[in-house]
Amino acid sequence: GAVVSQHPSWVICKSGTSVKIECRSLDFQATTMFWYRQFPKQSLMLMATSNEGSKATYEQGVEKDKFLINHASLTLSTLTVTSAHPEDSSFYICSARADSSNQPQHFGDGTRLSIL
Amino acid sequence: KQEVTQIPAALSVPEGENLVLNCSFTDSAIYNLQWFRQDPGKGLTSLLLIQSSQREQTSGRLNASLDKSSGRSTLYIAASQPGDSATYLCAVRDGNKLVFGAGTILRVKS
């Protein structure tokens, strides 16, 4: 089945550091990729949607200068958390979907980000 | 605005029982509906995808139904096993986005 690889799975870093998370679709071309954030014991919160080669569309309340998204190819999207602070600590999950209205979304295993 | 509700919020059953998880959504204009499981600290694993024109999908011990007109879906798990313990999430594709329910935490006791 379709696989989405997310890396790294766990990051611990100091406040003020920028952190990049990669999301790759391994066996299909992902026209659309999504980035979610999940707080403990809560469901997923969509942060932004990106289409290959165009700017990401951010959800209301998500700072686009804080969370930089690049979807440079049909198999790779990156999320960079710039100048991270403790309140950015969370579980970030990427998702990818091939282009078609009837295709499922596939999810990565998530990245646990801890800012000290 | 699409809203997805899952009932119950948590469920604990003995091994071997058949069980039903419920999902309801407010706007029937959906492309499809997906059921996922999430293990602690992990991402989501897609279990079943039902297109808006379909009534049900089956995979092994799992069967998902969809009644689009009433805004309801159920996930039936037969002969539950301890390995089925996880959080089960229902999501509807509304436009370009998935709208998630809050999930059902399932615990299957051995």
Side-chain angles (χ1 to χ4, degrees):
Chain A
V3 177
V4 173
S5 174
Q6 189 172 339
H7 178 80
S9 58
W10 198 356
V11 180
I12 301 174
C13 59
K14 294 181 180 179
S15 185
T17 306
S18 292
V19 178
K20 180 184 283 188
I21 304 170
E22 288 190 352
C23 180
R24 294 180 184 273
S25 58
L26 298 184
D27 57 358
F28 67 101
Q29 293 188 323
T31 307
T32 309
M33 285 187 164
F34 306 85
W35 287 94
Y36 295 84
R37 184 171 180 176
Q38 187 175 33
F39 294 100
K41 299 189 187 300
Q42 294 188 25
S43 193
L44 280 70
M45 181 190 79
L46 180 64
M47 298 174 65
T49 302
S50 73
N51 291 296
E52 183 263 339
S54 60
K55 289 184 178 179
T57 302
Y58 290 81
E59 294 300 300
Q60 192 172 6
V62 178
E63 298 175 60
K64 61 180 180 181
D65 295 330
K66 174 74 165 176
F67 299 100
L68 300 178
I69 292 171
N70 184 286
H71 190 167
S73 75
L74 284 171
T75 58
L76 174 65
S77 176
T78 60
L79 167 68
T80 301
V81 183
T82 62
S83 187
H85 288 93
E87 60 266 28
D88 299 322
S89 299
S90 192
F91 191 57
Y92 293 88
I93 308 176
C94 75
S95 178
R97 189 181 71 217
D99 185 22
S100 175
S101 63
N102 64 353
Q103 292 299 309
Q105 261 184 245
H106 300 282
F107 286 76
D109 276 342
T111 297
R112 173 73 57 194
L113 177 61
S114 296
I115 309 298
L116 305 177
Chain B
K1 179 186 172 187
Q2 179 73 266
E3 293 183 0
V4 179
T5 303
Q6 290 188 245
I7 294 173
L11 183 62
S12 181
V13 300
E15 183 177 5
E17 271 204 10
N18 303 323
L19 57 99
V20 175
L21 307 181
N22 298 288
C23 172
S24 61
F25 47 96
T26 54
D27 187 345
S28 62
I30 62 172
Y31 281 114
N32 54 48
L33 182 147
Q34 268 183 276
W35 281 95
F36 298 90
R37 74 174 273 169
Q38 186 177 28
D39 293 288
K42 296 290 187 181
L44 276 63
T45 300
S46 181
L47 298 173
L48 289 164
L49 168 70
I50 311 179
Q51 301 298 341
S52 61
S53 59
Q54 297 175 324
R55 298 282 292 183
E56 67 175 340
Q57 283 288 326
T58 298
S59 176
R61 294 183 293 109
L62 305 179
N63 176 277
S65 68
L66 175 63
D67 184 343
K68 204 174 82 156
S69 61
S70 67
R72 296 179 188 276
S73 176
T74 62
L75 178 66
Y76 175 83
I77 302 177
S80 58
Q81 302 171 357
D84 295 330
S85 299
T87 297
Y88 288 81
L89 293 161
C90 161
V92 298
R93 172 127 178 235
D94 187 15
N96 197 33
K97 304 175 187 177
L98 284 183
V99 180
F100 283 89
T104 295
I105 301 171
L106 173 64
R107 180 182 170 217
V108 180
K109 299 171 288 186
S110 57

